[in-house]
């Protein structure tokens, strides 16, 4: 078949900040898209100077430039799914919401607030803007427990029952579904809860003892977006994304990168490494 008459390669768009260390943000999203067979496009919202040990500086991108990037991609490279990550401030949130006003595809919103190192990545006054402008646009919201607590103005969940209740509370704020991630919980098993109007679905995997988990939230949300771009229903996209990320974390120690929280191995299926 003529290549120009065959169906186009699935495209996904990530709207997020840049991580100079390559483990999270735009870099992790594009690696994830590529690893899962989806063509990645991007719109940068901020630039960070960081490595595996921490964030040293953050510079926001002008809202007009954020809008221009998104418009350019939508015009020529229409994505089948959009992932939204770090948004930095209220002005950028408004720009993203406006730029996506005419987009009808699925949106995975990862409310990035704090880096793995503990550095803040979302201004305090931007939380209300995120709730009012983007939560209702999300096909899926993917908070960890600290992010869910901050969005709701509540203490962090300390049990699976608390996490489920906070997921239901977030669902009432507008997203079509909420994935309450269990990475910050304790215990030998990590459980994510997919909360929808129909109920709760549990996705569990053995917890891996490693310090190399930088970018796991970014990678999971972009893996789900990749699945949606490939036409997978949401529960299947979540299940496959979690399985892929679990294998990426298992392989992470073999990379032996950095002195702090190293990245996961996004391309573990293509070039495996052996842990020391």
């Amino acid at each position: 078949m003529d290549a120009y008459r065959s169906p186009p390669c699935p495209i996904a768009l990530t709207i997020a900040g840049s991580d100079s260390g390559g483990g999270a943000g735009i870099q992790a999203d594009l690696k994830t898209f590529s690893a899962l067979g989806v063509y990645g496009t991007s719109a940068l919202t901020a630039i960070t100077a960081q490595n595996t040990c921490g964030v040293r500086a953050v510079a926001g991108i002008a809202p007009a430039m954020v809008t221009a990037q998104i418009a350019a991609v939508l015009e020529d490279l229409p994505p089948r799914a959009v992932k939204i990550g770090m948004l930095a401030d209220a002005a950028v949130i408004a720009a993203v919401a406006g730029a996506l006003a005419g987009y009808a595809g699925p949106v995975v919103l990862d409310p990035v607030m704090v880096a793995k190192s503990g550095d803040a990545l979302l201004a305090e006054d931007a939380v209300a803007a995120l709730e009012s402008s983007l939560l209702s646009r999300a096909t899926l919201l993917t908070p960890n427990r600290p992010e869910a607590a901050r969005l709701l103005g509540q203490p962090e969940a300390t049990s699976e029952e608390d996490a489920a209740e906070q997921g239901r509370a977030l669902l009432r704020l507008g997203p079509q579904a909420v994935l309450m991630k269990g990475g910050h919980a304790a215990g030998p098993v990590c459980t994510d809860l997919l909360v929808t109007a129909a109920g709760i679905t549990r996705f569990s995997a053995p917890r891996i003892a490693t310090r190399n988990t930088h970018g796991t939230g970014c990678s999971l949300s972009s893996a789900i977006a990749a699945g949606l771009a490939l036409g997978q229903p949401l529960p299947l996209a979540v299940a496959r994304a979690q399985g892929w990320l679990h294998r990426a974390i298992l392989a992470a120690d073999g990379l032996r990168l950095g002195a702090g929280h190293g990245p996961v191995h996004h391309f573990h299926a293509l070039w495996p490494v052996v842990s020391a």
Side-chain angles (χ1 to χ4, degrees), residues 18-240:
S18 171
D19 171 10
S20 55
I26 286 282
Q27 287 83 349
D29 296 341
L30 294 176
K31 290 175 184 178
T32 301
F33 292 161
S34 294
L36 296 175
V38 172
Y39 183 81
T41 59
S42 62
L44 267 67
T45 59
I47 300 171
T48 68
Q50 65 175 298
N51 53 30
T52 65
C53 297
V55 179
R56 298 184 177 182
V58 178
I61 303 294
M65 186 59 187
V66 174
T67 298
Q69 292 176 84
I70 297 171
V73 171
L74 295 181
E75 177 185 321
D76 185 52
L77 298 159
R80 296 186 187 178
V82 172
K83 175 264 174 80
I84 301 175
M86 178 186 175
L87 294 174
D89 58 41
V92 168
I93 290 171
V96 171
L100 291 178
Y103 177 71
V107 173
V108 178
L109 175 58
D110 183 20
V112 177
M113 297 181 176
V114 178
K116 188 68 66 179
S117 59
D119 297 282
L121 296 175
L122 183 70
E124 192 64 39
D125 64 352
V127 177
L130 187 70
E131 293 179 359
S132 63
S133 300
L134 285 177
L135 287 195
S136 62
R137 180 62 189 86
T139 304
L140 177 68
L141 177 70
T142 63
N144 56 35
R145 289 189 177 185
E147 290 163 348
R150 187 173 174 192
L151 286 170
L152 292 168
Q154 298 178 359
E156 185 177 331
T158 57
S159 68
E160 188 172 307
E161 292 74 19
D162 290 343
E165 183 54 42
Q166 289 194 346
R168 286 188 285 263
L170 288 170
L171 194 66
R172 291 192 288 271
L173 295 180
Q176 295 178 31
V178 177
L179 184 67
M180 291 289 294
K181 296 180 293 189
H184 283 73
V189 176
C190 179
T191 299
D192 297 338
L193 304 175
L194 179 61
V195 184
T196 69
I200 295 178
T201 305
R202 301 171 78 254
F203 298 89
S204 297
R207 192 176 299 277
I208 302 167
T210 177
R211 65 178 175 82
N212 296 314
T213 55
H214 181 52
T216 49
C218 303
S219 300
L220 178 62
S221 57
S222 54
I224 296 170
L228 295 175
L230 290 166
Q232 298 166 9
L234 181 59
L236 179 60
V238 172
R240 290 188 174 178

